[in-house]
Amino acid sequence: MGQKNKIFLIILTALLLGGCGQTVDHKGKTPLVQVGNEFLYKEDLRAAMPVGIKGQDSIQFAERYIRTWVEDALLFHKAEGNVPDNLKLEELVASYRKALIVHAYQEELVNQQLGDSIDEAEIKQYYQQNPTLFRATQPYVQGLFIKVPVKAPHLGNVRTWYKQNTQDAVDRLLKYSIGNAVSYDYFYDRWLPVSDLAAKIPLKELDTDFGYLEKKKNVEVRDTAFCYFLHVEHFLPEGEQLPLEYARTEIKEILINLKRVEFINRVKQDLYNEASEDKDIIYYN
């Protein structure tokens, strides 16, 4: 029997299960398959279709989708009539529905009243007041990195410039990198995890000791194709307080959650007070 004939028989069986003579309000949708009192609509199938699918691929997708929908519906109806203790299931469903409604209402309230904006001053204050919460799990560095081919011109100048934290040296190195460097990264103004640099430099010492850069401020490594130059201006050891730029996202999430909890608790208290004043709460002995 061909695949299309199988699909046809499945749909026919499903339609027969649905019974006849019933008037159903499909709310403007076009029924495609019926199993019991459930319907799969043509609009639902169309919405499930991957963007750009066409031809035989679209036919095969539709057949698989319909087959899966029918099987799931049949399995649900079979399970519904054979699972014991339906009362317990109904209680669980009711409890879950209640929780979903409350959660959706809380989310809407919070979004209306709080949003997700946190003042920068609040972030800095929390950062300063809780230094032990934000510890670096690896060292961080500030400095400069440049990677150039081994045959690049004027490598002697590069060896001089990359070690100097002066505006003149940085400007010269930047201009040089435009025409010669494969990679150039100026990070005097921000902190980088040492693991990021370890991925860029073929330096064996960094495979076992991230603290190597605390002692070695200027690093030059060479392989068959490239020269790698790294200058470390500042070093933040593992275990020290993380730079604010790395703690900011986490702090923002913490502050938003704290405000959410405080706001929801206040809403609950207000509702309780209002219901108490209106005598809407009745306690029985």
Side-chain angles (χ1 to χ4, degrees), residues 42-192:
K42 186 180 295 184
E43 291 78 6
D44 298 331
L45 175 60
R46 188 179 296 120
M49 284 278 188
V51 176
I53 194 171
K54 59 181 64 175
Q56 188 62 32
D57 290 339
S58 66
I59 295 174
Q60 291 177 354
F61 177 88
E63 290 176 346
R64 288 195 303 269
Y65 189 89
I66 293 170
R67 172 65 178 260
T68 300
W69 185 91
V70 170
E71 289 177 342
D72 289 344
L74 292 172
L75 183 60
F76 171 74
H77 285 297
K78 185 70 173 177
E80 191 177 32
N82 288 275
V83 172
D85 195 12
N86 281 331
L87 180 60
K88 183 64 175 179
L89 281 177
E90 292 300 325
E91 290 175 355
L92 289 173
V93 170
S95 177
Y96 185 55
R97 180 176 183 274
K98 178 180 177 182
L100 284 176
I101 292 174
V102 170
H103 177 74
Y105 177 68
Q106 288 180 348
E107 289 296 301
E108 184 65 25
L109 274 180
V110 168
N111 289 334
Q112 288 178 2
Q113 300 297 322
L114 299 181
D116 61 354
S117 60
I118 296 293
D119 188 84
E120 182 66 20
E122 290 182 86
I123 294 176
K124 289 182 178 178
Q125 183 181 22
Y126 192 88
Y127 174 78
Q128 293 166 354
Q129 291 177 347
N130 299 275
T132 60
L133 295 181
F134 309 102
R135 296 296 186 187
T137 57
Q138 64 171 296
Y140 286 71
V141 294
Q142 288 181 322
L144 182 145
F145 169 76
I146 184 170
K147 173 184 175 182
V148 296
V150 292
K151 294 184 179 180
H154 310 300
L155 288 179
N157 289 337
V158 176
R159 290 188 179 93
T160 300
W161 296 332
Y162 92 95
K163 300 175 183 178
Q164 301 174 359
N165 182 13
T166 65
Q167 191 60 51
D168 180 65
V170 170
D171 288 345
R172 289 175 181 271
L173 203 57
L174 176 59
K175 292 176 183 177
Y176 177 87
S177 69
I178 293 173
N180 299 285
V182 175
S183 176
Y184 174 79
D185 193 1
Y186 174 94
F187 51 97
Y188 279 102
D189 55 350
R190 71 187 195 281
W191 292 93
L192 282 185

Side-chain angles (χ1 to χ4, degrees), residues 198 202-213 219 221:
L203 184 63
K204 293 186 297 183
E205 288 80 358
L206 289 184
D207 293 336
T208 57
D209 181 17
F210 281 171
Y212 174 80
L213 295 181
V219 177
V221 181

